[in-house]
Amino acid sequence: MQIAPPTPTPNILVSTSSHLLNTKLSLYSFLVRMDPIVATPISESSNITDFVITNRNGVKGLSEMGLKTLPKQYIQPVEERITVSNILPQESIPIIDMSNWDEQKVSESICDAAEKWGFFQIINHGVPIEVLENVKDATHRFFNLPAEEKRKFSKENSPSNSVRFGTSFSPEAEKALEWKDYLSMFYVSEEEAYALWPSACKDQVLEYMRGSEPVIQRLLEALMKRINVKEIDETKKSLLMGSKRINLNYYPICPNPELTVGIGRHSDVSTLTILLQDDIGGLYVRGNNDSWVHVPPISGSLVINVGDALQIMSNGRYKSIEHRVVANGSKNRISVPIFVNPRPDDMIGPFPEVLAGGEEALYKQVLYSNYVRHFFKKAHDGKKTIEFAKI
């Protein structure tokens, strides 16, 4: 018997309409294919790797070759594939209306969702729709550039370590690659961004980051009050939101999507992640036991999730939850996450305010850059990264 995820509190709006259910099921009907599929490589293994990774054509270049079967490098182990049997279509993460930021029930809903789910969607958050649409258009514009233009931002060619075009997650460490290309940009300053970020997207990305700043601050203020942090001083501000990184993610059409993943099981290493997704869908959040809950696209919404850094600083009060992205067999999908992080040279651990009542610390003090390095040196592996900080 499958056990349903926690029931949201009455102050949190949860969509359970039949329309939403039908959308969930129809978007992922490919998951119930019963005919056996044998994926065969289109070429030698080394040629595929060179084309996608070494020559930086990305998986988009592979997709555009019109593949009929999935190259073997992308075939995930059976236990890493999502199936219709472990999806809970009747469940949904909380949806919070932020129209009245200052109402106590809004703050309570945010904290309840962060404690019980680690994921929630917000609507009426104040970031203009046109800003969201512009950054989505800019994402498509970048990935539609010729391969030689995108290649200028690869590890070998990028003008800065702060800007990186790549594919999968950590290809050197992965036994099976993920069906995703990305552009990752570490925000240092607007001056540096204007100088180094791709012209195809930098204006729209910066506009989106500026528009999201009040949302981030309000969310963190609410979350801190619940754990007795009365004021976010400069030290706390550095720990909570001292640095930011934004990704443009591109998931091209995939042959045999049921055999691979867009992104494998993981939790983020951020304090908070602010995610903008398009209308395609494909993000799943871990429910109870081995179940998964779809995060349906809602026009104008932002998806918020707790990262490992906040789980550590709250001593486990707020939960960073495993999530994943499925591949799609008929549509190209994009997403744009902003990762709100401590500074790389910050030491993170449970806040003293959290432990003031005698609560035992669950996590040690760790250098944030070491924690992030540990995350990126291996393939996605669920929640295992948090073990690095446990006492």
Side-chain angles (χ1 to χ4, degrees):
M1 176 183 296
Q2 292 180 331
I3 301 175
T7 302
T9 64
N11 289 326
I12 301 177
L13 303 176
V14 180
S15 176
T16 56
S17 68
S18 60
H19 173 72
L20 176 57
L21 175 59
N22 290 336
T23 301
K24 292 178 184 177
L25 296 177
S26 63
L27 279 173
Y28 297 101
S29 60
F30 66 83
L31 291 171
V32 298
R33 292 181 189 173
M34 301 303 293
D35 52 315
I37 297 173
V38 179
T40 56
I42 63 169
S43 183
E44 294 298 325
S45 176
S46 60
N47 291 343
I48 293 286
T49 303
D50 285 345
F51 178 80
V52 174
I53 300 173
T54 308
N55 296 329
R56 302 295 175 182
N57 288 290
V59 74
K60 182 175 186 287
L62 200 59
S63 174
E64 289 173 347
M65 296 175 68
L67 304 181
K68 300 301 182 185
T69 54
L70 188 71
K72 63 182 180 181
Q73 294 90 335
Y74 291 90
I75 300 177
Q76 296 286 330
V78 172
E79 63 271 17
E80 295 300 331
R81 305 175 200 168
I82 197 166
T83 64
V84 72
S85 63
N86 58 11
I87 293 173
L88 294 176
Q90 74 276 15
E91 295 293 340
S92 176
I93 66 170
I95 301 167
I96 304 174
D97 189 336
M98 310 296 287
S99 298
N100 299 306
W101 281 99
D102 297 325
E103 289 187 3
Q104 182 64 26
K105 67 179 182 180
V106 174
S107 293
E108 291 175 355
S109 295
I110 290 167
C111 296
D112 289 345
E115 286 186 12
K116 297 177 181 179
W117 281 86
F119 261 85
F120 53 97
Q121 296 205 64
I122 58 175
I123 58 175
N124 299 320
H125 42 66
V127 184
I129 291 290
E130 58 267 29
V131 171
L132 304 181
E133 293 303 315
N134 287 345
V135 78
K136 287 191 283 187
D137 290 343
T139 300
H140 281 288
R141 187 160 56 246
F142 173 79
F143 286 102
N144 286 334
L145 290 173
E148 57 268 22
E149 288 297 314
K150 291 180 288 189
R151 210 172 288 139
K152 292 177 182 178
F153 299 96
S154 67
K155 181 179 180 180
E156 300 80 11
N157 302 320
S158 180
S160 168
N161 288 332
S162 298
V163 186
R164 183 68 50 82
F165 167 67
T167 191
S168 193
F169 173 66
S170 184
E172 299 81 4
E174 292 167 331
K175 294 181 179 179
L177 298 173
E178 299 177 352
W179 195 261
K180 180 198 74 172
D181 294 334
Y182 65 87
L183 176 69
S184 181
M185 295 168 284
F186 188 85
Y187 180 82
V188 176
S189 67
E190 289 217 356
E191 183 180 21
E192 179 179 289
Y194 277 116
L196 300 177
W197 291 8
S199 59
C201 60
K202 61 185 175 185
D203 288 329
Q204 295 77 19
V205 170
L206 285 169
E207 183 182 33
Y208 171 49
M209 293 188 76
R210 286 191 295 267
S212 301
E213 191 69 17
V215 178
I216 294 166
Q217 292 184 5
R218 295 246 187 179
L219 290 170
L220 288 173
E221 286 170 2
L223 292 165
M224 289 302 100
K225 286 179 181 178
R226 173 69 67 92
I227 58 173
N228 298 318
V229 176
K230 306 301 182 184
E231 180 185 358
I232 301 178
D233 57 21
E234 288 304 311
T235 300
K236 290 286 196 304
K237 187 175 182 179
S238 175
L239 289 167
L240 292 169
M241 52 185 297
S243 67
K244 296 183 183 69
R245 179 169 59 88
I246 187 164
N247 273 22
L248 309 185
N249 294 329
Y250 190 89
Y251 308 89
I253 294 171
C254 178
N256 312 136
E258 65 284 353
L259 299 182
T260 191
V261 297
I263 300 180
R265 299 178 299 109
H266 72 288
S267 60
D268 294 343
V269 295
S270 57
T271 302
L272 287 179
T273 302
I274 316 298
L275 176 73
L276 172 65
Q277 58 175 342
D278 63 13
D279 61 354
I280 305 301
L283 173 63
Y284 283 81
V285 174
R286 173 75 79 179
N288 283 342
N289 296 330
D290 196 33
S291 63
W292 293 91
V293 177
H294 184 223
V295 180
I298 298 174
S299 178
S301 73
L302 293 170
V303 180
I304 312 298
N305 67 275
V306 172
D308 288 357
L310 185 55
Q311 177 171 325
I312 291 168
M313 290 186 280
S314 69
N315 203 39
R317 182 77 173 267
Y318 299 129
K319 307 294 193 299
S320 66
I321 301 298
E322 270 185 271
H323 51 288
R324 64 194 301 175
V325 174
V326 299
N328 192 292
S330 60
K331 295 181 179 180
N332 300 316
R333 178 181 183 265
I334 61 159
S335 67
V336 184
I338 299 174
F339 301 100
V340 183
N341 309 310
R343 295 182 190 274
D345 57 354
D346 280 334
M347 296 292 296
I348 63 170
F351 284 153
E353 293 90 339
V354 179
L355 304 179
E359 185 175 323
E360 183 179 348
L362 301 177
Y363 305 99
K364 59 189 176 184
Q365 295 283 327
V366 296
L367 182 65
Y368 185 64
S369 59
N370 286 345
Y371 190 85
V372 173
R373 192 174 297 114
H374 178 67
F375 175 69
F376 279 104
K377 75 178 183 181
K378 55 188 176 59
H380 281 139
D381 56 3
K383 283 281 293 177
K384 289 184 180 179
T385 306
I386 200 75
E387 301 294 328
F388 184 81
K390 283 189 176 179
I391 292 176

